[in-house]
């Protein structure tokens, strides 16, 4: 997993999961998969079934990096909190921070 920019994500050819709770501006890119799954709905289990299979790479868009430990423990955990059984972590290959000034300047160019 690496911190990346919106422009770098475009060259990766992986889906983007938008974890922001409230979306000020949706991201629509031709020939790209962008799905809005608020992080709280994943934590509650309400929409976690909508995530890609654990072996498929994808990128995540987060509101800011202050919640880094929360989403890292969710996506990269190798033990289930509910069952205590081992599991494969999701294959998050990139993290984009939406509060980054660079993000918004790149967003305008898409």
């Amino acid at each position: 997993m690496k911190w990346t920019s919106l422009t770098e994500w475009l060259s990766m050819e992986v889906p983007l999961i938008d974890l922001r709770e409230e979306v000020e501006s949706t991201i629509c890119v031709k020939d790209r998969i962008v799905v809005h799954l608020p992080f709280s709905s994943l934590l509650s289990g309400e929409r976690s079934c909508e995530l890609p299979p654990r072996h498929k790479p994808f990128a995540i868009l987060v509101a800011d990096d202050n919640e880094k430990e929360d989403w890292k423990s969710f996506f990269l955990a190798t033990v289930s909190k509910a069952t205590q059984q081992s599991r494969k972590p999701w294959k998050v290959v990139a993290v984009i921070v939406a509060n980054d000034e660079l993000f918004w300047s790149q967003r305008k160019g898409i």
Side-chain angles (χ1 to χ4, degrees):
M1 177 176 15
K2 70 175 191 165
W3 298 93
T4 190
S5 67
L6 196 56
T7 304
E8 286 177 295
W9 167 71
L10 287 170
S11 68
M12 294 176 148
E13 299 186 17
V14 296
L16 178 65
I17 308 296
D18 184 349
L19 299 178
R20 297 176 295 167
E21 296 299 318
E22 297 178 19
V23 179
E24 298 171 14
S25 171
T26 59
I27 298 173
C28 297
V29 182
K30 186 178 178 179
D31 300 326
R32 290 301 179 142
I33 297 172
V34 179
V35 179
H36 179 237
L37 293 174
F39 188 56
S40 62
S41 70
L42 297 178
L43 287 176
S44 70
E46 181 182 337
R47 296 186 65 189
S48 58
C49 63
E50 297 177 49
L51 285 168
R54 291 180 187 264
H55 68 280
K56 296 281 187 179
F58 62 95
I60 59 175
L61 173 64
V62 297
D64 58 53
D65 57 0
N66 292 333
E67 299 171 346
K68 172 174 37 180
E69 294 309 313
D70 293 338
W71 51 258
K72 279 177 76 175
S73 67
F74 179 83
F75 287 108
L76 303 180
T78 57
V79 175
S80 169
K81 286 184 180 179
T83 65
Q84 299 304 310
Q85 294 181 344
S86 65
R87 68 176 190 189
K88 284 187 162 261
W90 273 281
K91 198 166 185 179
V92 178
V93 295
V95 179
I96 303 167
V97 179
N99 72 350
D100 188 346
E101 189 176 316
L102 179 61
F103 168 81
W104 290 107
S105 65
Q106 291 174 341
R107 170 73 176 91
K108 291 175 186 172
I110 293 180

